[in-house]
Amino acid sequence: MSHSTELSLEQQFNIRSFETQVKSMSHEQAQEFLVKLYEQMLLRDNMYKDFIRHQWGIDTPPRI
């Protein structure tokens, strides 16, 4: 496995901490949390796409 796909010790610790927090959530809280997390993942994807478009100079011209 390459180093870029391995988790650091700090990331592994954060996963265990996250796991503890999730286990104490109610079913409804966990569902709400997952929906919010998914929304944030989509927003992050959009930011990455915009950043790459900008870096590669393929920004779309402003609409009139």
Side-chain angles (χ1 to χ4, degrees):
M1 186 179 283
S2 74
H3 292 289
S4 64
T5 58
E6 295 176 8
L7 297 176
S8 69
L9 198 54
E10 180 182 5
Q11 289 171 322
Q12 291 175 31
F13 174 80
N14 287 334
I15 288 173
R16 297 298 171 251
S17 175
F18 180 77
E19 181 180 20
T20 302
Q21 292 175 20
V22 170
K23 284 183 178 181
S24 67
M25 289 181 182
S26 70
H27 183 75
E28 286 181 10
Q29 287 173 320
Q31 287 179 327
E32 290 173 14
F33 178 79
L34 284 171
V35 170
K36 195 66 175 171
L37 182 63
Y38 186 67
E39 179 184 357
Q40 290 176 358
M41 288 170 51
L42 293 174
L43 290 170
R44 183 187 63 192
D45 287 349
N46 289 344
M47 288 190 311
Y48 287 156
K49 289 175 188 176
D50 287 345
F51 177 75
I52 289 171
R53 279 190 208 107
H54 178 72
Q55 289 296 312
W56 289 356
I58 55 174
D59 294 288
T60 55
R63 295 182 183 175
I64 300 175

